[in-house]
Amino acid sequence: MLLEIDGRKVRTEADLHQFLARALDFGPYYGANLDALWDRLSMDVPRPVAVVWTDWQASEKSLGAERFERICGLLRAVEAEDQEAGHEERFTFELR
């Protein structure tokens, strides 16, 4: 599955959680925070998933560099976990 995040539309962390929850069918009990996102992405989302964040600079500006980097760090950590586990079908993350 290719999941494209449009940075022009993600102005807040809530925007990101809403987009991902809808796109990945997290259901009504998703906590909409980074801990819950880690749990869902690392354990519940069927692979392969390729997340591409386009126009990411717009999101970084809106979210602030520190918050944006925390989110990207989480997405990179999910990618690294799949890679280290040797999964053929895995989660990938890219800024474009």
Side-chain angles (χ1 to χ4, degrees):
M1 163 191 295
L2 173 62
L3 188 56
E4 188 173 314
I5 301 169
D6 183 345
R8 296 167 298 177
K9 294 181 181 177
V10 175
R11 320 278 292 149
T12 67
E13 189 174 327
D15 291 341
L16 177 68
H17 288 291
Q18 184 178 42
F19 172 77
L20 292 174
R22 198 173 20 240
L24 296 171
D25 193 25
F26 287 169
Y29 301 108
Y30 172 59
N33 61 60
L34 294 182
D35 289 334
L37 182 59
W38 169 263
D39 290 345
R40 297 307 306 258
L41 291 178
S42 65
M43 294 185 277
D44 298 332
V45 174
R47 307 298 197 248
V49 175
V51 174
V52 177
W53 199 327
T54 61
D55 295 310
W56 60 270
Q57 297 92 338
S59 289
E60 181 182 41
K61 184 177 179 181
S62 296
L63 291 163
E66 186 176 326
R67 172 62 59 192
F68 181 77
E69 190 50 45
R70 281 191 68 204
I71 293 165
C72 289
L74 181 146
L75 297 172
R76 288 183 190 110
V78 174
E79 178 179 48
E81 185 176 81
D82 274 13
Q83 187 172 9
E84 289 169 13
H87 298 305
E88 284 186 38
E89 295 186 341
R90 62 181 88 163
F91 179 95
T92 60
F93 172 63
E94 177 184 352
L95 296 174
R96 248 191 235 162

